[in-house]
Amino acid sequence: MEQFWFYVVLFSFILFVSVTFLLHKQRKRNNKNLPPSPLAFPIIGHLHILKEPLHRSLHHLSDQYGPILYLHFGSRPVLLITSPSAVEECFTKNDIIFANRPQLLVGKHMYNYTSLGASSYGSHWRNLRRLSTIELFSSTRLNIFSDLRPEEVRLLIKDLYRVLCEDFVKVELKSRFSDLSFNVIMRMISGKQYCKDEVGLKEAKQFQQITSEIFEVSGIPNLGDFFPSLSFVDWNGLEKRMKALHRKADVLLQRLINEHRNSHNYTSLAEEGEMKTMMDVLLSLQHREPDYYTDEIIKSFLLGLLIAGTDTSATTLEWAMSLLLNHPEVLRKVKAEVDDVLHGGERVHHDHDHDSSTHLLLIDEQQHLAKMKYLQCVINETLRLFPPAPLLVPHESSKDCTVGGYDVLGGTILIVNIWSIHRDPKLWDDPTSFKPERFINELATAAGGDETGEACRPPLLLPFGMGRRGCPAAGLANRVVGVALATLIQCFEWKRLGEKEVDLTEGPGLTAPKAKPLEAMCKACPTMINVLSKL
């Protein structure tokens, strides 16, 4: 009986606080020209309409009520946008206003909002952004690591070749793509190669499991995020799970920091300019500014890089291969382009003990990738249909502003559904079909594009966001996906498991990965066997 009355009193208190808060908000809204809003329930607002996958349920909502909507998720006001012009207005004219992040539970328990992705706009965020842009993802830095990415791709194709025989063999690709993207970012961060021994492989799997679970818990609605007055109640054990994830990540990251700190003299490194990895840079900065660059700040920064830099490339690779398998005519065109780019290029001469004929080299990122224009079209079309984040990471307005002629209150969460924009029939011809050719004109007429192809993307393609909080790792992702796809197509023949097309159903999570991990039939190209056998 006492427990019953406790819940009655608790519910009454929550109801009173919520109604008072909503009435206050309503008086403020009455004097504003707010965007259209569907009918909302008391207290919960529009939470009842949210279903998995979230980007699709919000897409149907925008189809029904318009491209700029005003919603309420509990007590949190939300601006939902599927209008390209409104997106541009948010991230150009109002870019500073929308540069904040909403303070959600996952950011609190992953180093208390100090990571690059979760921190609010300010001096701390600008410093982390500068570090990531200049020291890790700049064109100069990416070129320094240009040999690293092909090395990891060679390990991938070596692993595939090891399980093949003369005929087609079924291979699983999701885990291999995850290993590739993880190893690339970890070698850039720490220089550590995790494939060398059993201990390293175990630690790598722990890191990958943690980042995967962080993505998972980030996509689970948390009551405290929508009703701050209930933040002390861990209704579904989500907060407990986040704390456990933080402890696991903290142990691994601290071990990584200690390994580097004990094996390098960062005073001499800073003086001699020999800093080669992101860890070198961070620990040298810590030596100069120990009060700011604490271990906690470094671990927060590294975890953010791991989360942002691994899953995006792996997911894009899996979707790209799935689409190519479902469209063998496109796969043949990519294969022809790869052969054409390599034709007449540098050759590999074998030792006298082997066949004296010459064989093509493997794809070289700097020499070949920029010439593969159709491959870039395939990557762009993959990012259009299956962006690595169908909903951009939420922003939050720091003060009142206007978007599309509507008033937007300070403290409003901004959600941009780029999945809807990428499939809008008003913007794209036959938007649900896989047509890489739609990007050929953009690539042919683009001026000033670099080897990553980033400048060649049309303005309506926003897989990595835009504005000051756009993803700094877009160039890296484009290079990893490009060199991996080209090399896999160069070295192997591919086909589906059977006549049935590869299932393109999306699974749950922020990155909307494939619901069913990709499997395909694979066989080494006869012209590449001698090259593959020497890896």
Side-chain angles (χ1 to χ4, degrees):
M1 182 62 72
E2 290 181 0
Q3 188 178 26
F4 169 78
W5 284 110
F6 168 77
Y7 283 113
V8 170
V9 172
L10 177 63
F11 177 77
S12 302
F13 172 74
I14 294 170
L15 182 63
F16 172 77
V17 172
S18 301
V19 170
T20 302
F21 178 79
L22 291 174
L23 288 174
H24 172 74
K25 284 286 188 180
Q26 185 64 44
R27 285 194 295 270
K28 188 175 181 180
R29 291 197 301 267
N30 287 339
N31 299 322
K32 299 288 185 178
N33 176 34
L34 299 177
S37 181
L39 182 65
F41 283 174
I43 303 176
I44 67 171
H46 298 96
L47 285 174
H48 65 287
I49 63 178
L50 301 183
K51 299 177 182 178
E52 289 286 351
L54 186 57
H55 58 276
R56 287 184 180 269
S57 65
L58 293 178
H59 170 76
H60 295 316
L61 197 65
S62 296
D63 267 355
Q64 188 174 358
Y65 293 98
I68 304 178
L69 292 181
Y70 186 73
L71 306 174
H72 261 100
F73 295 167
S75 62
R76 305 293 289 264
V78 175
L79 182 68
L80 173 63
I81 290 181
T82 57
S83 161
S85 60
V87 171
E88 186 174 0
E89 187 176 357
C90 288
F91 298 136
T92 53
K93 173 187 171 184
N94 297 321
D95 196 21
I96 292 182
I97 295 176
F98 283 108
N100 277 343
R101 293 285 193 219
Q103 294 201 335
L104 305 178
L105 187 67
V106 66
K108 174 184 176 183
H109 290 298
M110 299 301 155
Y111 297 101
N112 198 29
Y113 310 111
T114 57
S115 69
L116 178 63
S119 60
S120 293
Y121 182 72
S123 59
H124 175 69
W125 176 84
R126 286 193 296 270
N127 186 51
L128 296 185
R129 177 73 181 201
R130 178 186 59 81
L131 276 174
S132 62
T133 301
I134 296 174
E135 300 294 348
L136 196 63
F137 301 125
S138 66
S139 294
T140 301
R141 270 291 181 178
L142 291 179
N143 288 335
I144 289 173
F145 292 113
S146 61
D147 291 336
L148 178 154
R149 291 179 290 276
E151 282 179 18
E152 291 300 329
V153 171
R154 285 195 287 273
L155 289 174
L156 166 64
I157 62 174
K158 178 182 176 181
D159 177 58
L160 280 172
Y161 182 68
R162 191 164 48 226
V163 301
L164 300 182
C165 55
E166 293 183 359
D167 203 355
F168 280 96
V169 173
K170 182 171 74 171
V171 294
E172 188 272 330
L173 293 174
K174 180 181 176 67
S175 64
R176 289 181 167 92
F177 291 157
S178 295
D179 290 344
L180 169 67
S181 58
F182 172 80
N183 288 334
V184 167
I185 194 69
M186 280 302 293
R187 286 184 66 184
M188 292 177 69
I189 288 174
S190 67
K192 189 171 182 179
Q193 200 167 17
Y194 281 87
C195 60
K196 288 185 176 181
D197 53 52
E198 188 174 338
V199 175
L201 286 172
K202 181 180 179 181
E203 189 172 318
K205 294 303 178 185
Q206 289 175 326
F207 267 121
Q208 289 174 296
Q209 181 64 30
I210 288 169
T211 55
S212 176
E213 286 193 50
I214 290 174
F215 269 113
E216 183 182 339
V217 299
S218 298
I220 300 175
N222 173 61
L223 198 61
D225 287 335
F226 307 126
F227 301 97
S229 59
L230 296 180
S231 59
F232 65 94
V233 181
D234 189 13
W235 291 93
N236 53 2
L238 191 62
E239 188 168 12
K240 181 180 179 181
R241 187 177 173 188
M242 289 178 182
K243 290 178 179 178
L245 279 173
H246 172 263
R247 287 192 296 270
K248 293 177 184 177
D250 193 72
V251 169
L252 291 173
L253 291 168
Q254 189 64 57
R255 185 187 305 159
L256 195 63
I257 291 172
N258 292 340
E259 286 176 3
H260 278 73
R261 184 182 286 129
N262 296 333
S263 60
H264 295 80
N265 184 341
Y266 285 98
T267 303
S268 62
L269 275 178
E271 292 172 352
E272 298 170 14
E274 296 179 358
M275 295 176 290
K276 297 179 180 180
T277 67
M278 194 69 212
M279 188 71 79
D280 292 333
V281 173
L282 290 169
L283 291 180
S284 296
L285 289 170
Q286 185 183 64
H287 179 78
R288 294 198 297 267
E289 302 178 58
D291 292 338
Y292 178 73
Y293 290 100
T294 63
D295 280 4
E296 293 300 298
I297 292 295
I298 292 176
K299 287 183 288 188
S300 171
F301 184 65
L302 294 178
L303 183 60
L305 292 179
L306 283 171
I307 292 171
T310 56
D311 201 63
T312 51
S313 298
T315 301
T316 301
L317 271 170
E318 191 177 14
W319 282 120
M321 282 299 296
S322 300
L323 290 166
L324 289 172
L325 289 167
N326 281 351
H327 297 84
E329 72 284 356
V330 176
L331 180 58
R332 285 192 293 269
K333 289 182 71 172
V334 177
K335 173 70 172 175
E337 180 182 63
V338 170
D339 291 342
D340 183 61
V341 168
L342 291 169
H343 180 70
E346 189 175 0
R347 308 265 177 171
V348 177
H349 292 271
H350 291 270
D351 298 330
H352 295 299
D353 295 334
H354 297 83
D355 192 321
S356 60
S357 62
T358 59
H359 296 266
L360 294 173
L361 285 170
L362 296 174
I363 296 295
D364 179 80
E365 180 184 296
Q366 291 188 307
Q367 182 182 354
H368 301 130
L369 197 56
K371 300 175 184 177
M372 298 179 183
K373 303 299 184 183
Y374 189 68
L375 175 69
Q376 184 61 56
C377 292
V378 169
I379 295 172
N380 285 348
E381 183 71 340
T382 302
L383 292 171
R384 183 186 71 83
L385 287 170
F386 299 101
L391 302 173
L392 292 186
V393 180
H395 295 239
E396 186 175 82
S397 58
S398 57
K399 62 180 182 179
D400 293 359
C401 63
T402 60
V403 175
Y406 295 109
D407 294 323
V408 177
L409 303 176
T412 297
I413 295 176
L414 171 65
I415 294 179
V416 177
N417 193 341
I418 60 172
W419 188 89
S420 288
I421 295 173
H422 288 179
R423 294 173 180 245
D424 188 342
K426 297 177 183 177
L427 307 173
W428 306 90
D429 176 49
D430 195 9
T432 60
S433 296
F434 179 64
K435 293 182 176 181
E437 290 77 11
R438 72 173 82 242
F439 289 99
I440 289 177
N441 291 335
E442 284 83 354
L443 287 170
T445 59
D450 62 10
E451 67 270 21
T452 68
E454 282 187 280
C456 299
R457 294 190 184 124
L460 297 177
L461 195 65
L462 306 169
F464 300 104
M466 64 182 298
R468 67 191 63 216
R469 294 206 79 141
C471 179
L476 173 63
N478 202 60
R479 296 188 191 207
V480 172
V481 172
V483 73
L485 268 183
T487 307
L488 287 169
I489 292 169
Q490 176 197 7
C491 294
F492 302 107
E493 296 177 15
W494 298 92
K495 66 180 183 180
R496 300 190 293 264
L497 299 184
E499 293 299 320
K500 190 176 180 181
E501 289 193 345
V502 175
D503 186 2
L504 300 181
T505 303
E506 299 152 319
L510 293 180
T511 57
K514 282 183 85 279
K516 185 178 180 180
L518 177 61
E519 294 179 327
M521 302 300 291
C522 177
K523 181 176 79 169
C525 291
T527 56
M528 295 299 298
I529 289 177
N530 284 341
V531 175
L532 292 171
S533 64
K534 295 191 173 193
L535 290 176

